[in-house]
Amino acid sequence: MWSLFVALRLVLAFIVASYAQDQVDDSLLTFKSRPDLYPPKLSVNISENGVTPGYIFMAPYQSLQNTAAIYDIDGTLVWYGYGVTGTGGNIHDFRVCSYNGTDHLCFFNGEQYSGYSRGQAVIMDTHLRQVRTVTSQNGLSAIDQHEFNIINDTAITVIYHPERYDLSAFNVTAGEGWIQNSIFQDTNLTTGELVFEWSAVEHVAISEGYVSPNQSEVAGTGFDARSPWDYFHINSVDKNGDGDYLVSARHVSALYKISGEDGHVIWRCGGKFSDFELLDGLNWSYQHDARWLSQNASTDIISFFDNASNGFNQSASHSAGYIIKLDHTADPPTVSLLQSYPAPEDIPISASQGNIQILKPGNWANSNTFIGWGSQPYVTEHDSRGNVVYRANIAANGKMNYRAFKFNITLSPMDSPALYTYALDANANTVYYMSWNGATEVRSWRVYGRSGCTDQWRLINEVPKSDFETTYTVLGYQEFGMVEAVAENGTGIRNSTNRGIKAFVPSSSLTNNCTVNGCNVVSGYGINTGQEVVAAETRSGCAALPVSTTPNSTTGSQTANKAIDLQPGIWSTASIVVFSSLLVSAIL
Ligand SMILES: *[C@@H]1O[C@H](CO)[C@@H](O)[C@H](O)[C@H]1NC(C)=O
Ligand SMILES: *[C@@H]1O[C@H](CO)[C@@H](O)[C@H](O)[C@H]1NC(C)=O
Ligand SMILES: *[C@@H]1O[C@H](CO)[C@@H](O)[C@H](O)[C@H]1NC(C)=O
Ligand SMILES: *[C@@H]1O[C@H](CO)[C@@H](O)[C@H](O)[C@H]1NC(C)=O
Ligand SMILES: *[C@@H]1O[C@H](CO)[C@@H](O)[C@H](O)[C@H]1NC(C)=O
Ligand SMILES: *[C@@H]1O[C@H](CO)[C@@H](O)[C@H](O)[C@H]1NC(C)=O
Ligand SMILES: *[C@@H]1O[C@H](CO)[C@@H](O)[C@H](O)[C@H]1NC(C)=O
Ligand SMILES: *[C@@H]1O[C@H](CO)[C@@H](O)[C@H](O)[C@H]1NC(C)=O
Ligand SMILES: *[C@@H]1O[C@H](CO)[C@@H](O)[C@H](O)[C@H]1NC(C)=O
Ligand SMILES: *[C@@H]1O[C@H](CO)[C@@H](O)[C@H](O)[C@H]1NC(C)=O
Ligand SMILES: *[C@@H]1O[C@H](CO)[C@@H](O)[C@H](O)[C@H]1NC(C)=O
Ligand SMILES: *[C@@H]1O[C@H](CO)[C@@H](O)[C@H](O)[C@H]1NC(C)=O
């Protein structure tokens, strides 16, 4: 009887909990001034003195909205790119990159299917405008999420391309077999020309793979073009000063040095045919994100993320970040462990994705290291001895994050600050909720009010910025509100709309379900769908005046409404076409 009672209570609690979940998912952030955004919350668990200042770059997906997100190290949202990062789909590999000599934001944007995507690489300037895309060339599939690596004046991207392949050795004899070829392209960003292209099937035998057809969720059956067998699974590409490449591939559990001359494999490290003897108990598998830290004729120093699992096979109890040393002078050549950054005990193994960022790559031996744990949406920072000095996570609930990074960046958005104001009645105090998505230079807010469209704005106060959205209550009723974002040096940077935001004042029949800060969140609808909508006045407001939002900066000279040329070169072609058709019509 007692247990039945407990069970009933549990069921009831579950129903109540899932109902509440439907209303407000507390793994997501919400803001009164930006009701369109639902960014995942980043919960900071450990933050010790040695943590490196900077912003955290992530692109969590399988969330309500899938896009790029920047947080500061205390978990405060800085920018959420929903709606402005591209054409829908997912974002991956979001980070600061150097393009045309200055800091930009780089990411992949595309449609994801299983562990793959088809899309394009996008470059944004620090005013959060898309300035450039990189797409695949040579008639292949659109590029994939696994790499977008700008080094000097070229961009490396990868392509997963289905190709016909004789798989009779795997009993695919009824007809043509299909293989998922792993390709990378290196594109000159100045000219758009392809500098180099490499394809796995020409250089790596299918027998190097550990994953048989249909053996994992991303293995593929090999039976058709929509399910090609993915024997290699490229997931990172780096490049050295000689123009050679370092490739990591998950399904062969190996790193490859690839000649930038002819694409041949210079050496294999790990996997079935390693050219190196693995010392120090090294035995990684299904790894990601291999980067050269230094390199000469005798030695390579490389960092990478060892998943140690693909969800089916496992080579260690935990995933880890590694710095390894390849010694070419030893006979046979050896690979040894210089530093490991194991996952904290309670972070489950990362069966996919993940990355490792050496925060001072030029001084890796004394550098802190930032790790994104991939399918487990945690980030950690470690000191040079491997100790965890920082730890944060987004609530899993099925969410994942391919790569995470830490960078400094200064962002000054083209768009203006957002404001919502509220007063319980026309004699009450007015609450201002203000934010500016992506702006990094705001120290405080100047708060303005006025009571009619022709009145001058009255400066009420200047209040420190706190959190993504700052809340401030102004004494007395302000029918219209405006706020000005103010920089550290006291300069006003940008105003919210100069038409003013009209305060929301609940009517007398709503006011009982409202407080001085706002009204209740409605958790169900009492509207009779057949009911006629009663006549009501429109909301009166003021007209907006034109205002220049041209940033005074080194990289931007365009005004807010000017179209951005996404692909330099296309406009000139377009204008030639238009011009020639005008010419043709003139002749006819
Ligand atoms: C951090 O997470 C660990 C593991 O879940 C937990 O034991 C610890 O209490 C957390 N610390 C804080 C400050 O939340
Ligand atoms: C690169 O930067 C220069 C100024 O340094 C600017 O004139 C040029 O338009 C930029 N090019 C692109 C493609 O952004
Ligand atoms: C192919 O089929 C033969 C005969 O049924 C079987 O012995 C062999 O194991 C199969 N090979 C593979 C790779 O499945
Ligand atoms: C890219 O193109 C520019 C302009 O032609 C050239 O100066 C530069 O050397 C090229 N870079 C590479 C890596 O090919
Ligand atoms: C692939 O494996 C699944 C089970 O894991 C099985 O249901 C399916 O039939 C297999 N497909 C092929 C084409 O063998
Ligand atoms: C990039 O440029 C730097 C500085 O010129 C040079 O040292 C480095 O080798 C270049 N890297 C590549 C991959 O070209
Ligand atoms: C490495 O791990 C695999 C499991 O993935 C295991 O079968 C193998 O014996 C290990 N090798 C060594 C040298 O420990
Ligand atoms: C950010 O800048 C600070 C101050 O210059 C520096 O200490 C820190 O290492 C930088 N962070 C990153 C991630 O580069
Ligand atoms: C004040 O700071 C803003 C934003 O950082 C900057 O654009 C502006 O040039 C600075 N003004 C002065 C006078 O230093
Ligand atoms: C914001 O508006 C106020 C009031 O009109 C004005 O004094 C101020 O210069 C504006 N600030 C900016 C950055 O345009
Ligand atoms: C306040 O909302 C509740 C439902 O949550 C409703 O029953 C009640 O009638 C509302 N109060 C007024 C004064 O409308
Ligand atoms: C931007 O630059 C122009 C021309 O140099 C100057 O007139 C204007 O005052 C500047 N605006 C701001 C907000 O600094």
Side-chain angles (χ1 to χ4, degrees), residues 69-367:
I70 303 176
Y71 303 91
D72 72 13
I73 54 176
D74 62 20
T76 301
L77 184 73
V78 174
W79 183 56
Y80 198 55
Y82 185 66
V84 296
T85 42
T87 53
N90 286 353
I91 302 297
H92 293 291
D93 205 11
F94 172 48
R95 53 172 131 175
V96 173
C97 56
S98 175
Y99 171 64
N100 194 28
T102 57
D103 278 350
H104 281 70
L105 303 179
C106 280
F107 53 84
F108 168 86
N109 172 224
E111 294 299 331
Q112 186 162 350
Y113 60 103
S114 178
Y116 313 100
S117 299
R118 299 253 160 84
Q120 58 187 3
V122 179
I123 304 174
M124 269 188 171
D125 66 13
T126 53
H127 304 298
L128 301 172
R129 299 174 299 190
Q130 294 194 13
V131 294
R132 179 71 188 266
T133 58
V134 181
T135 53
S136 63
Q137 306 195 43
N138 286 345
L140 300 168
S141 309
I143 66 165
D144 173 84
Q145 78 225 27
H146 282 89
E147 186 65 280
F148 177 29
N149 188 5
I150 295 184
I151 304 176
N152 297 342
D153 61 349
T154 73
I156 303 170
T157 53
V158 308
I159 297 165
Y160 279 83
H161 189 64
E163 295 179 13
R164 288 167 193 81
Y165 198 94
D166 188 330
L167 290 177
S168 47
F170 287 88
N171 288 347
V172 182
T173 51
E176 58 195 8
W178 287 89
I179 205 154
Q180 181 81 287
N181 198 3
S182 284
I183 294 170
F184 76 79
Q185 294 187 333
D186 198 1
T187 302
N188 187 323
L189 289 169
T190 314
T191 60
E193 279 165 358
L194 200 54
V195 175
F196 188 75
E197 179 182 290
W198 185 82
S199 134
V201 295
E202 267 88 43
H203 301 285
V204 179
I206 59 172
S207 51
E208 292 192 33
Y210 284 103
V211 178
S212 305
N214 205 30
Q215 197 205 312
S216 82
E217 78 287 11
V218 290
T221 60
F223 287 153
D224 71 71
R226 285 162 303 155
S227 189
W229 175 39
D230 183 6
Y231 82 106
F232 191 69
H233 200 98
I234 194 167
N235 59 24
S236 72
V237 186
D238 201 6
K239 186 170 148 183
N240 69 12
D242 302 335
D244 296 325
Y245 297 89
L246 175 66
V247 166
S248 164
R250 182 185 191 233
H251 292 175
V252 288
S253 294
L255 315 178
Y256 294 74
K257 184 177 180 183
I258 304 298
S259 161
E261 291 285 328
D262 61 8
H264 82 272
V265 174
I266 298 173
W267 49 247
R268 294 165 174 74
C269 183
K272 285 186 190 168
F273 305 102
S274 182
D275 295 313
F276 299 84
E277 186 187 344
L278 275 60
L279 306 179
D280 301 329
L282 278 170
N283 187 23
W284 65 81
S285 63
Y286 309 106
Q287 83 292 329
H288 283 79
D289 195 32
R291 307 287 159 198
W292 265 308
L293 299 177
S294 78
Q295 208 243 339
N296 59 36
S298 63
T299 312
D300 291 79
I301 310 286
I302 291 170
S303 63
F304 71 95
F305 180 82
D306 176 25
N307 296 73
S309 168
N310 69 341
F312 294 83
N313 303 311
Q314 199 164 322
S315 54
S317 62
H318 285 80
S319 306
Y322 286 144
I323 299 179
I324 56 170
K325 176 179 162 183
L326 280 58
D327 183 351
H328 303 278
T329 61
D331 186 17
T334 56
V335 51
S336 57
L337 181 64
L338 293 181
Q339 182 65 57
S340 73
Y341 308 92
E345 271 303 311
D346 63 305
I347 298 185
I349 202 155
S350 304
S352 67
Q353 308 159 85
N355 73 308
I356 169 168
Q357 180 194 11
I358 310 299
L359 292 173
K360 296 194 181 87
N363 185 15
W364 55 267
N366 295 304
S367 172

